[in-house]
Amino acid sequence: VAQETITKRRHDGPGSQCVIGKNIQIRGKLSGAEDLVVEGRIEGTVALKNHLTIEQTGVVEADVDVRDLTVHGEMRGDIAAVGSVSVSNAAKVVGNIRAPRIILEDGARFKGSIEMDVELPDNVKPRRERA
Amino acid sequence: MANTIIGNSIVIDGEISGDEELVIQGTVKGKIALAENLHVENGGVVEADIDTTTITISGQVTGNIAAKEKVEIRADGKMVGDIKAPRITIADGATFKGNVDMDV
């Protein structure tokens, strides 16, 4: 169903959405200000002002700087998001995530550190900070 | 047929390779190697050496093109560089500067 939605959205008009199809490989720097769906492969760096979606067939080996990120596929590299990062149950992520909102679904495979950059309540703060 | 679109706000600096149809509305610098049809649409800017099956240019291309089948520069297309392809069409209104090698 998700696949159909994407196919439909592709034809909404110029610039509404960018899709990297599954038989496409990009190596280098990618930047932009629109939603991007990756079904293929990207190696390098990605800087996006909008939403990046890595579909199940997608593989991204890159440091990623985005507003929001949704991973259904494979992602290797450090992630910095100003919005949210969502790692779905089919996803495999290796790298460090920094974002105010991070969703890790049951079944997702993840290795790395998570930094949510939020004020923790007093009772869960590390001991030395509480003193 | 799956179809990849590089949208108009996307900038890629590097290499693109693959074997499915590719539409460029944004900016690509570097190198493109495609075993399918490539479309550079109006607004698209490509500064790259291109190796493809066919290419239609309605945007702006700077670089050398080698196409297995056909190169088509449409009326609003601008192209600077050398072209090597068995079939080449340049529409009335198109801008082109470079060498043409039709291998005849």
Side-chain angles (χ1 to χ4, degrees):
Chain A
V1 179
Q3 198 65 35
E4 277 169 20
T5 320
I6 288 159
T7 316
K8 265 184 223 154
R9 271 190 292 168
R10 274 183 205 180
H11 302 293
D12 273 0
S16 64
Q17 186 167 36
C18 174
V19 181
I20 309 296
K22 54 178 180 288
N23 296 318
I24 295 287
Q25 296 88 40
I26 294 176
R27 187 173 298 156
K29 277 187 266 178
L30 188 152
S31 61
E34 66 191 90
D35 291 350
L36 175 67
V37 175
V38 181
E39 295 166 0
R41 192 181 178 91
I42 297 182
E43 289 172 33
T45 62
V46 177
L48 204 71
K49 292 200 175 75
N50 295 38
H51 195 132
L52 174 67
T53 306
I54 303 171
E55 291 294 345
Q56 283 199 10
T57 55
V59 179
V60 173
E61 287 185 31
D63 288 339
V64 168
D65 193 343
V66 291
R67 194 191 64 205
D68 303 300
L69 172 69
T70 305
V71 186
H72 301 293
E74 201 176 321
M75 160 81 215
R76 285 167 194 275
D78 292 341
I79 299 165
V82 292
S84 70
V85 174
S86 170
V87 182
S88 89
N89 54 20
K92 188 178 167 192
V93 176
V94 179
N96 304 320
I97 305 179
R98 222 177 78 198
R101 285 172 57 210
I102 297 171
I103 302 118
L104 202 59
E105 271 185 20
D106 186 18
R109 283 160 295 167
F110 172 71
K111 188 179 174 184
S113 74
I114 287 182
E115 194 183 320
M116 288 174 95
D117 209 17
V118 286
E119 270 304 302
L120 294 175
D122 274 352
N123 56 353
V124 293
K125 270 189 182 171
R127 201 160 277 177
R128 58 178 182 279
E129 279 183 34
R130 256 190 274 170
Chain B
M1 186 67 205
N3 184 325
T4 293
I5 301 171
I6 312 287
N8 57 8
S9 82
I10 300 286
V11 179
I12 293 174
D13 190 345
E15 281 173 46
I16 301 180
S17 60
D19 52 3
E20 68 177 54
E21 198 149 346
L22 177 64
V23 177
I24 299 175
Q25 298 163 346
T27 302
V28 176
K29 288 181 194 173
K31 207 169 152 186
I32 299 172
L34 205 72
E36 259 291 343
N37 303 328
L38 174 64
H39 305 274
V40 180
E41 294 196 342
N42 207 333
V45 178
V46 175
E47 288 176 32
D49 287 337
I50 299 168
D51 196 342
T52 183
T53 305
T54 73
I55 178 169
T56 60
I57 302 171
S58 303
Q60 204 176 310
V61 175
T62 311
N64 300 327
I65 298 175
K68 276 186 205 70
E69 286 175 15
K70 192 180 173 189
V71 174
E72 191 179 339
I73 306 177
R74 301 250 170 101
D76 35 10
K78 287 188 177 66
M79 157 82 199
V80 179
D82 298 344
I83 299 177
K84 195 174 168 195
R87 288 168 63 201
I88 297 169
T89 65
I90 299 174
D92 185 19
T95 317
F96 172 65
K97 189 180 173 185
N99 295 319
V100 169
D101 180 358
M102 288 178 90
D103 209 17
V104 284

